[in-house]
Amino acid sequence: AQSVTQPDIHITVSEGASLELRCNYSYGATPYLFWYVQSPGQGLQLLLKYFSGDTLVQGIKGFEAEFKRSQSSFNLRKPSVHWSDAAEYFCAVGPQGLRSARQLTFGSGTQLTVLP
Amino acid sequence: KAGVTQTPRYLIKTRGQQVTLSCSPISGHRSVSWYQQTPGQGLQFLFEYFSETQRNKGNFPGRFSGRQFSNSRSEMNVSTLELGDSALYLCASTTGTETQYFGPGTRLLVL
């Protein structure tokens, strides 16, 4: 069965510092990969996605993620964090294929706190 | 384009009651998926509908059901509510590029 691991439950960084959130997955083949962000009491907002091709993908709000097949990882990065980035971040995977990709498996999330 | 809308946003029910939640997908999206989010279990897939047919179902009891209408709007129903059903229920609609866009969710509290 597929699984997603986000090893860091909570990360605290200072505003302006760089950020990396880790995500590892277990899957039979290369899945579709996503990062979502959730602010308190809100739904999930898509930050970026990887389907195929260039392994470094750019997203909204200055985020990027790198797919590393050999490590089964899809880590999220941002060079300079803003206070408004404080939120919970979820990594998700979905099987490739027009039908199956609509069922996502999520990691447990990483709560990001940004210090002034 | 308007985003995914979910109604109601908040709901309080008592054990044993049933509840119906509604989701309107982004215009033109024909697939709707539902997820349950709880502090203990995280985000879990409930089911997915496409063209009024349930195509995938997660590991939830039969008390959880859903349907989709010809205009792609979807409803999910939970019968005989239990305290553990308290959760944020999220609906997502999917584009042709297999990207799921989520609504704001319905927060259900079961007393």
Side-chain angles (χ1 to χ4, degrees), chain A residues 25 27-33 50-53 67 69 93-97:
Chain A
Y25 64 90
Y27 216 78
T30 301
Y32 290 159
L33 296 156
Y50 174 78
F51 286 175
S52 64
F67 168 60
R69 184 189 307 272
V93 301
Q96 292 200 20

Side-chain angles (χ1 to χ4, degrees), chain A residues 32 34 36 38 41-46 49 51 88 90 97-108, chain B residues 9-10 31 33 35 37 43 45 48 50 55-56 88 90 94-104 107:
Chain A
Y32 290 159
F34 306 85
Y36 287 89
Q38 185 177 38
Q42 301 298 313
L44 301 173
Q45 181 182 22
L46 178 70
K49 61 190 177 186
F51 286 175
E88 190 157 22
F90 292 92
L98 280 176
R99 184 176 188 278
S100 300
R102 294 171 175 88
Q103 177 175 345
L104 297 177
T105 299
F106 285 88
S108 55
Chain B
R9 292 293 311 278
Y10 304 93
S31 168
S33 300
Y35 295 83
Q37 185 177 25
L43 281 152
F45 172 78
E48 180 230 344
F50 180 83
R55 300 200 305 180
N56 288 317
L88 180 67
L90 293 164
T94 306
T95 69
T97 58
E98 304 309 310
T99 301
Q100 294 193 27
Y101 293 91
F102 285 81
R107 186 164 296 281

Side-chain angles (χ1 to χ4, degrees), chain A residues 3-5 23-27 29 31 33 67-69 72-73 93:
Chain A
S3 65
V4 179
T5 301
C23 172
N24 292 93
Y25 64 90
S26 174
Y27 216 78
L33 296 156
F67 168 60
K68 292 186 177 180
R69 184 189 307 272
S72 296
S73 70
V93 301

Side-chain angles (χ1 to χ4, degrees), chain B residues 33-52:
Chain B
S33 300
W34 289 88
Y35 295 83
Q36 181 197 63
Q37 185 177 25
T38 61
Q41 299 298 316
L43 281 152
Q44 295 183 287
F45 172 78
L46 279 158
F47 29 63
E48 180 230 344
Y49 286 87
F50 180 83
S51 292
E52 302 178 63

Side-chain angles (χ1 to χ4, degrees), chain B:
Chain B
K1 266 187 183 179
V4 178
T5 58
Q6 293 186 245
T7 57
R9 292 293 311 278
Y10 304 93
L11 208 49
I12 299 176
K13 293 286 188 178
T14 56
R15 278 180 297 174
Q17 287 186 309
Q18 75 166 16
V19 67
T20 299
L21 312 181
S22 180
C23 171
S24 293
I26 294 170
S27 177
H29 292 192
R30 296 168 61 191
S31 168
V32 173
S33 300
W34 289 88
Y35 295 83
Q36 181 197 63
Q37 185 177 25
T38 61
Q41 299 298 316
L43 281 152
Q44 295 183 287
F45 172 78
L46 279 158
F47 29 63
E48 180 230 344
Y49 286 87
F50 180 83
S51 292
E52 302 178 63
T53 301
Q54 185 184 93
R55 300 200 305 180
N56 288 317
K57 183 172 169 61
N59 188 25
F60 279 83
R63 300 186 296 107
F64 291 82
S65 63
R67 59 177 175 168
Q68 186 180 34
F69 302 94
S70 58
N71 62 357
S72 295
R73 189 178 70 86
S74 177
E75 290 181 346
M76 68 162 283
N77 184 276
V78 188
S79 62
T80 319
L81 283 166
E82 300 176 0
L83 295 179
D85 297 333
S86 295
L88 180 67
Y89 290 88
L90 293 164
C91 164
S93 70
T94 306
T95 69
T97 58
E98 304 309 310
T99 301
Q100 294 193 27
Y101 293 91
F102 285 81
T106 294
R107 186 164 296 281
L108 172 65
L109 177 61
V110 182
L111 302 176

Side-chain angles (χ1 to χ4, degrees), chain A residues 53-86:
Chain A
D54 191 346
T55 57
L56 184 64
V57 293
Q58 303 297 320
I60 62 171
K61 303 185 179 185
F63 285 93
E64 66 177 27
E66 186 172 13
F67 168 60
K68 292 186 177 180
R69 184 189 307 272
S70 60
Q71 298 176 19
S72 296
S73 70
F74 188 56
N75 293 348
L76 182 71
R77 301 194 293 248
K78 186 170 185 178
S80 177
V81 170
H82 188 262
W83 64 267
S84 61
D85 293 325

